[in-house]
Amino acid sequence: MEGSRFYFFVFAIAILASPALSDLVLSKVDRRIYLTSHIVRISSTLKVENAGPETASEVLLAFPEQQAKNMAYLMATPHEGKGKVKKPVVALPVEVANPKDMPPALTFYSVSLPKGLAEGDSFTFDVLAVFTHALRPIPEQITQADIQLVLYQDSAYYLSPYAVKAQSLTVKLPDSRIESYTKLENTKIHGSEIKYGPYENLPAFSYSPIAVHFESNQPFAVAQELVREIEISHWGNVQVTEHYKLIHGGAQSKGEFSRLDFQARPNVRGASAFRYLVANLPPRAHSIYYRDEIGNISTSHLRGDSKKTELLIEPRYPMFGGWRTAFTIGYGLPLQDFLYESEGKRFLNITYSSPMVELVIDTLIVKVVLPEGSSDISVAAPFPVEQWQETKISHLDIDGRPVVVLKKTNVVPEHNQYFQVYYRFSKLSMLREPLMLISGIFFFFVACIVYMRADISISKSSASYLAKQQWEEAQAVIQQVQNIISRCLATHDKLEASLRDLYRTGDIQACKAARKAADGLLKELSKELKPLLTTLQSSPSAAQVLPKVEELVTKERELQEKVMVKHSTVVDGYEKKSGARDIENRVALQQQKLTALRQEVEDLLEFIDEI
């Protein structure tokens, strides 16, 4: 129904066409429609003649409303004949036009001619129009094993507000597998090409609808959103980070997916899916990475030469119709290849769009992060873009870095042209971050020195300070007490060793000498212990631990007495020449008490040490 309305509408246009546009005539139109990918490109060569007395300075191009909505790119250039030396292409100015008495359902563009076209003069130029989402999947849903069929609709006649003397149309398809196509007069098919025409002497706004239903298993890669961040560092690097939200824009996948079938026969059980994408990076790109939210993706291949660096990336899974994925690629570029100076200003000269081959981008946001301190910022873009400025706070920043944001919708590879960002930046500003870093490290060490050497206590006469000082003094005294008790225990061990030697050698005199030395040492240690106990008894801070210390000293003295009794009993037994078994029986009970007391003393030492 919508198609029939459109055709009727076009017919009405032909009736209502303004005669004021009839002075110009298209003597020859050669149109070529390329359907080899999901991006539709229409290349037209137009030869225009002025049949009227007034000089013409512009030519109007007409597009149906729906086609104009899908138009992503439009360029007009002077035509260069075959065999001529190709010169740098200079595009002709193209602007949206609103001619009078034209229906609003047609969108017009005006192409400004290099010079006025007098009566009888002619001019030949080429027009390239690029469209997105112009191929409609029929059927709209397919299984894993199905091929993808798409439908394209257009006119066999060139829709123009001018009369056309001669015209032809060639439709280029991906291959020769065609489901159906509209057959008109002078229609021929040669392999993967369908030719319509030539048609002669057609009036203005002539229209003859055609439809081509054909197989297309090309990657329908569509980035619903792409955010490119280009960060400039005057220390020698331009860092590019690209965040993709990708979808397969072809026929929706239905049914179950079998990884086994896909791996076994990918060209049959996954013909409509795409498994990889290719990005043509600048030749000196380095530090390249490819990752998503999970982490690094290792299924990528990189190869390069002096002209480009080709990055082939594979998503984590094959992309069927309607399937989505999100990932990030990043790479560094040498600063000297993209940053220049002119008239006291620096400017970045870099491509605008994605390096991905044959990628449609619904929304593209490019963020150019300039160094902190940049000023007098301006942008020169080869096509209209929405732009504004933001601020990004990064490491060692004070005011933040200015960010130029450029936004454009419906972006195709033809938009991957160079644009420039101009700004002023003082060379002294480059020293800001190193000086901040050096100063920060310097002041950190100064603060450490001050902290280590300064007394930061509130007051030496405060109660907390005095209490802390008294407790430290008490700790020192307790440590001395512990050392004395440990020396006493060591002396006891020496006496036990002398008894073992007595059992082994029977040398009573050596045993008595050891006893005499031990008595002298224990007396000295007892003298050292008395003032320490007096100090602890007079210290309020030691009140909590004093009972345990006193218990420790008491237990040690009790242990010392029993050790001496045991020693005397054993020596007396040897002097009286008693038997060894008899001596052991006499000291057995004493030995049990000694062992228990020794354990108590060691437990008390451990308890006090924990306090």
Side-chain angles (χ1 to χ4, degrees):
M1 180 63 70
E2 292 182 1
S4 60
R5 287 181 181 176
F6 177 76
Y7 305 147
F8 175 80
F9 177 71
V10 173
F11 179 75
I13 291 175
I15 298 176
L16 298 174
S18 171
L21 301 177
S22 60
D23 288 345
L24 292 179
V25 176
L26 296 179
S27 59
K28 185 178 181 181
V29 175
D30 184 13
R31 237 180 352 141
R32 297 164 299 280
I33 301 178
Y34 297 94
L35 306 179
T36 52
S37 77
H38 68 123
I39 302 174
V40 177
R41 294 176 173 87
I42 302 179
S43 176
S44 305
T45 301
L46 310 178
K47 183 178 181 180
V48 60
E49 294 181 355
N50 188 2
E54 297 182 2
T55 301
S57 59
E58 63 179 18
V59 178
L60 292 178
L61 306 177
F63 295 92
E65 184 179 22
Q66 186 59 40
Q67 201 175 40
K69 287 181 180 179
N70 294 332
M71 182 185 294
Y73 183 78
L74 181 64
M75 182 179 71
T77 56
H79 178 68
E80 295 183 358
K82 294 181 180 180
K84 294 184 178 180
V85 179
K86 290 188 176 181
K87 300 178 181 178
V89 177
V90 179
L92 302 174
V94 179
E95 296 178 353
V96 177
N98 295 299
K100 296 181 180 180
D101 302 326
M102 287 292 105
L106 279 182
T107 301
F108 288 89
Y109 293 87
S110 67
V111 178
S112 299
L113 301 178
K115 62 179 181 178
L117 206 62
E119 183 178 3
D121 290 346
S122 64
F123 179 74
T124 304
F125 63 98
D126 297 324
V127 176
L128 174 63
V130 183
F131 302 91
T132 60
H133 307 292
L135 298 180
R136 178 185 173 190
I138 301 291
E140 296 182 354
Q141 293 185 342
I142 59 175
T143 65
Q144 178 182 348
D146 294 336
I147 60 173
Q148 181 173 258
L149 299 174
V150 295
L151 179 69
Y152 177 74
Q153 295 176 306
D154 207 319
S155 171
Y157 301 155
Y158 180 66
L159 181 61
S160 173
Y162 311 112
V164 181
K165 291 184 177 180
Q167 63 174 292
S168 62
L169 169 64
T170 302
V171 180
K172 177 66 176 176
L173 305 175
D175 51 50
S176 58
R177 288 173 285 189
I178 304 172
E179 193 77 7
S180 64
Y181 65 96
T182 303
K183 297 180 176 64
L184 300 176
E185 183 183 359
N186 295 338
T187 302
K188 299 178 182 179
I189 182 168
H190 299 281
S192 61
E193 289 187 355
I194 304 175
K195 294 186 178 181
Y196 292 92
Y199 304 110
E200 298 180 350
N201 300 322
L202 295 175
F205 297 107
S206 295
Y207 191 90
S208 179
I210 60 171
V212 183
H213 193 203
F214 60 98
E215 179 181 343
S216 178
N217 292 315
Q218 302 300 315
F220 275 52
V222 178
Q224 294 180 313
E225 183 183 76
L226 168 58
V227 179
R228 296 187 76 215
E229 185 175 273
I230 305 169
E231 186 169 354
I232 301 174
S233 170
H234 279 199
W235 295 101
N237 189 58
V238 177
Q239 183 63 37
V240 181
T241 308
E242 301 177 352
H243 305 277
Y244 290 84
K245 292 182 180 179
L246 203 69
I247 186 174
H248 188 305
Q252 300 289 307
S253 177
K254 66 178 181 179
E256 296 181 352
F257 167 67
S258 172
R259 169 73 70 171
L260 180 61
D261 291 345
F262 180 80
Q263 292 293 113
R265 295 185 294 172
N267 294 328
V268 177
R269 294 287 182 172
S272 63
F274 64 86
R275 289 162 288 173
Y276 61 87
L277 295 170
V278 178
N280 291 326
L281 307 180
R284 298 175 66 187
H286 61 85
S287 305
I288 302 169
Y289 63 85
Y290 167 45
R291 63 172 183 243
D292 59 9
E293 292 181 351
I294 299 176
N296 185 60
I297 305 175
S298 60
T299 52
S300 61
H301 307 279
L302 183 69
R303 54 178 177 268
D305 52 32
S306 59
K307 295 183 179 180
K308 69 175 183 299
T309 301
E310 186 176 270
L311 174 65
L312 188 147
I313 63 174
E314 296 183 24
R316 293 188 181 273
Y317 44 84
M319 294 290 292
F320 284 87
W323 290 18
R324 303 168 188 267
T325 186
F327 59 87
T328 299
I329 64 172
Y331 49 93
L333 301 172
L335 183 68
Q336 63 269 24
D337 292 354
F338 299 91
L339 192 69
Y340 307 92
E341 288 193 42
S342 175
E343 300 178 357
K345 298 182 72 174
R346 303 169 189 258
F347 69 94
L348 175 74
N349 186 45
I350 197 168
T351 52
Y352 178 77
S353 186
S354 167
M356 296 289 182
V357 175
E358 291 298 283
L359 177 69
V360 172
I361 307 170
D362 291 338
T363 302
L364 172 59
I365 299 174
V366 176
K367 297 183 177 182
V368 181
V369 183
L370 302 176
E372 186 178 24
S374 300
S375 60
D376 194 11
I377 302 170
S378 60
V379 177
F383 38 76
V385 293
E386 182 182 353
Q387 61 176 287
W388 66 90
Q389 289 190 18
E390 297 176 350
T391 301
K392 178 182 179 180
I393 302 296
S394 185
H395 52 276
L396 299 179
D397 286 345
I398 300 176
D399 300 323
R401 305 184 184 191
V403 180
V404 178
V405 184
L406 308 176
K407 181 179 179 180
K408 185 172 179 57
T409 58
N410 209 17
V411 178
V412 292
E414 280 74 11
H415 287 118
N416 201 20
Q417 303 177 26
Y418 283 91
F419 73 101
Q420 296 78 38
V421 178
Y422 295 85
Y423 63 97
R424 295 187 185 276
F425 184 75
S426 173
K427 292 183 178 179
L428 294 177
S429 298
M430 293 181 62
L431 302 176
R432 178 186 299 180
E433 292 184 358
L435 290 176
M436 287 177 60
L437 191 61
I438 294 171
S439 301
I441 295 174
F442 173 76
F443 286 116
F444 172 76
F445 282 107
V446 169
C448 290
I449 293 171
V450 172
Y451 176 78
M452 296 299 294
R453 294 180 176 273
D455 186 359
I456 58 175
S457 59
I458 298 175
S459 173
K460 292 186 177 181
S461 60
S462 64
S464 60
Y465 178 81
L466 293 176
K468 181 180 179 182
Q469 190 175 34
Q470 290 175 359
W471 172 242
E472 290 176 351
E473 292 174 356
Q475 281 182 314
V477 173
I478 292 170
Q479 184 65 42
Q480 293 179 39
V481 172
Q482 288 178 297
N483 292 337
I484 291 174
I485 297 299
S486 297
R487 290 168 65 188
C488 289
L489 294 178
T491 303
H492 300 166
D493 293 338
K494 289 180 180 179
L495 286 175
E496 292 289 343
S498 68
L499 292 178
R500 289 193 294 272
D501 291 340
L502 179 60
Y503 288 138
R504 183 169 49 84
T505 63
D507 188 352
I508 298 175
Q509 297 302 321
C511 189
K512 288 183 176 181
R515 167 69 178 271
K516 186 177 180 180
D519 286 340
L521 180 59
L522 290 173
K523 286 180 181 179
E524 291 180 4
L525 292 176
S526 179
K527 290 179 182 179
E528 293 179 11
L529 192 60
K530 286 181 180 180
L532 296 176
L533 289 175
T534 304
T535 302
L536 289 177
Q537 290 170 353
S538 62
S539 174
S541 299
Q544 182 180 2
V545 75
L546 180 60
K548 292 293 182 182
V549 174
E550 291 178 340
E551 183 181 358
L552 173 65
V553 173
T554 302
K555 293 289 184 182
E556 194 282 325
R557 284 176 180 171
E558 185 179 351
L559 176 64
Q560 180 178 326
E561 291 176 359
K562 292 188 179 300
V563 169
M564 295 304 178
V565 171
K566 176 186 175 182
H567 194 276
S568 299
T569 302
V570 174
V571 172
D572 289 344
Y574 269 87
E575 287 179 341
K576 295 177 181 179
K577 298 182 179 181
S578 301
R581 184 174 295 277
D582 182 43
I583 295 173
E584 289 178 1
N585 291 333
R586 291 172 62 186
V587 300
L589 183 61
Q590 295 177 2
Q591 184 62 43
Q592 292 179 0
K593 294 180 179 180
L594 283 173
T595 303
L597 277 173
R598 180 66 179 252
Q599 185 62 44
E600 291 181 12
V601 171
E602 290 179 351
D603 290 344
L604 285 169
L605 280 172
E606 185 177 355
F607 179 79
I608 293 171
D609 189 60
E610 290 178 356
I611 294 177

